[in-house]
Amino acid sequence: MAILRIDWATVNRMLNSPTGVVGRDCQKRADRTAARARQFAPGSMSERIAPPIVQRSFAGPSADITVRHHAVGFVINGTPPHQIRPRTKKALRFTVGGRVVFARLVNHPGTDPDDFLNKALPAAL
């Protein structure tokens, strides 16, 4: 008669540790998602996506992907139409069609939301 003994501590480490089988798979999927998010991120925002960190949670390993850019909330959520005024100078200066333009007020039309992080999630699956 064969006896089966299960080392529950080993099973627990395999399932719940960030360095166990499930944790390594979570890290691989998070790395793929972060790489895809860097492709979708606008402008210099892609450079501000930190490497994913896998950590232990009550439900097993989980990963956090952090974007350290001051405008990430505006990109993901979009912005309503708003006015832009100079804060430290008398006028705004920008280029339109190759010409330098000055203005005391600009009516910005707003931006549509671009949730590039959620668009990147299918890369993990």
Side-chain angles (χ1 to χ4, degrees), residues 6-58:
I6 299 174
D7 182 352
W8 290 107
T10 301
V11 171
N12 187 40
R13 277 193 309 275
M14 181 179 70
L15 296 177
N16 296 317
S17 169
T19 58
V21 175
V22 177
R24 289 193 311 268
D25 183 60
C26 183
Q27 181 71 57
K28 186 169 50 175
R29 291 171 186 267
D31 289 339
R32 277 199 311 256
T33 303
R36 194 75 168 135
R38 286 184 193 96
Q39 292 175 343
F40 290 149
S44 65
M45 202 165 287
S46 63
E47 300 162 12
R48 305 294 304 211
I49 297 175
I53 297 172
V54 176
Q55 53 199 1
R56 175 182 242 159
S57 71
F58 68 92

Side-chain angles (χ1 to χ4, degrees), residues 73-94:
F74 298 122
V75 171
I76 290 175
N77 299 318
T79 61
H82 58 281
Q83 293 182 338
I84 302 174
R85 299 176 187 273
R87 290 199 277 174
T88 60
K89 304 287 182 184
K90 291 182 180 179
L92 299 167
R93 179 186 186 269
F94 50 96

